[in-house]
Amino acid sequence: MKIIDDLSRCVGCALCSSVCPQKCIEMEKKEIGFLYPKINKDLCIGCGKCKNACPLNKTNIINQTDSCYALLDKDEFSRVKSASGGASNVFANHILKNDGVFCGCRLNEELEAIHDIADVSDDLEQYRDSKYVQSNMTHTWEKIDKVLNENKTLLFTGTPCQAAAVRSKYGTRDDLYICDFICSGVPDPAIFKLYLAKIGKNEGKKINKFYFRDKSCGWKKSAIRIVFDDGTEKKIPRKDSMYYSLFGNNLFFRQSCYKCEFKQFKTHSDLTIGDWWGIEKFRADIDDDKGCSLVIINTPKGAELLEHVKDDVVLVDTPIEFAIQTHPKIMKSINSNPYRTLFYKMFNGDIDSLNKAYERCIGDSITDKIKRKLYLYFNIKK
Ligand SMILES: Cc1cc2nc3c(=O)[nH]c(=O)nc-3n(C[C@H](O)[C@H](O)[C@H](O)COP(=O)(O)OP(=O)(O)OC[C@H]3O[C@@H](n4cnc5c(N)ncnc54)[C@H](O)[C@@H]3O)c2cc1C
């Protein structure tokens, strides 16, 4: 039994594992922290439910993308805590106020990114801010099942591939809203974990909270903010962070992200949100450097959700063509880095090998640069 023809297309949503009636699919770590399904062949009865559920095997896109907006949450406190204009939180708040439930990504006590459920407004705090690491949905499916079985309205927010998985399982229904975001790709959870360990070791403290995009120096200069268990804090500008350097060099994304199958509006969501980088070129008057969200409406249900929140936000109609120009990732996957294979060959899961792989693949020293040239010559040009 094969779930998909080529496992490098697998997005790691864990839907196959959740629908298996034999419970014979386990999500196991590969390369090094990404989850992939492993079928226990002795238990598999070949029913094909996993294959039918897999979002990569679904082509029935329902989207009719037609409008695009800039959005700013009028609640500035909330906007400043969000990654961009606070769109996600505004939608989630509306759902919760109407006795619905929100499903999104938070960092758990071990600072691992997981998809979980929030049903009171106070819980939303931990869902704000983008977590630039793949979130784990292994234990999320049964929670979503429960919410929908109780006839509650659910808003799901996640990557385009996670959104496609949710649509694949539950289809189109009145009590379900699906929101995805413009996505560069999802980084390796094992590397995020090691990055945290490295900072903790250097500082000699335990990390309590981690924020990927603190806006205290402005949205455009947002930085990493870390809160330690003794209450002290550290800020790391993105340009000085090893993690963002790996991110910017496209080195540690999931394999499927380099050939994302949900680009060019092949989205299964009702609406798509993103960072409205470049809004100042279109409407300088709404750019206060506290964050601006881009919202693309994909279905009438998405338009309905936006209509519900319109009194809570500043909303500006913007041309979709301009969004496409300023956000190449709407149309195209990230480029693969020619040293990614080398990086994963050198990196074996510990801090030492991470440092060495980082230097070899991105480092500035003459030796590393020469070694990279030789690597390209012998491995790519041949
Ligand atoms: C891995 C990743 C890559 C991204 N790449 C781009 C990009 O290239 N261009 C762009 O314009 N925008 C990108 N975004 C989206 C952007 O960072 C903001 O999330 C978006 O602008 C919405 O901002 P906000 O202020 O509305 O909400 P935020 O406060 O950012 O809320 C984020 C929402 O996304 C969910 N979320 C957070 N982290 C994850 C995760 N790891 N997996 C799944 N769901 C998550 C949360 O549950 C929350 O609902 C990316 C986000 C992530 C997580």
Side-chain angles (χ1 to χ4, degrees), residues 81-89 102 104-105 113 115 127-135 157-159 162 181-187 213 247 273-275 277 293 327 329:
K81 293 211 159 188
S82 301
S84 61
S88 166
N89 195 66
F102 173 70
C105 171
H115 252 73
Y127 293 88
R128 286 198 201 107
D129 193 23
S130 297
K131 288 86 188 173
Y132 293 115
V133 57
Q134 179 155 43
S135 81
T157 300
T159 60
Q162 290 170 332
F181 45 77
I182 301 166
C183 184
S184 47
V186 285
R213 281 178 50 182
F247 194 98
I273 56 178
D275 301 317
W277 300 126
S293 291
H327 292 71
K329 285 170 203 159

Side-chain angles (χ1 to χ4, degrees), residues 22 50 115 132 144 172 184 194 206 213 237 249 266 271 289 342 372 375 381:
Q22 292 294 98
C50 51
H115 252 73
Y132 293 115
I144 301 181
T172 303
S184 47
L194 277 181
K206 192 174 174 295
R213 281 178 50 182
N249 281 282
K266 288 189 205 123
L271 24 80
D289 203 22
L342 174 67
R372 281 206 289 277
Y375 174 83
K381 290 195 178 155

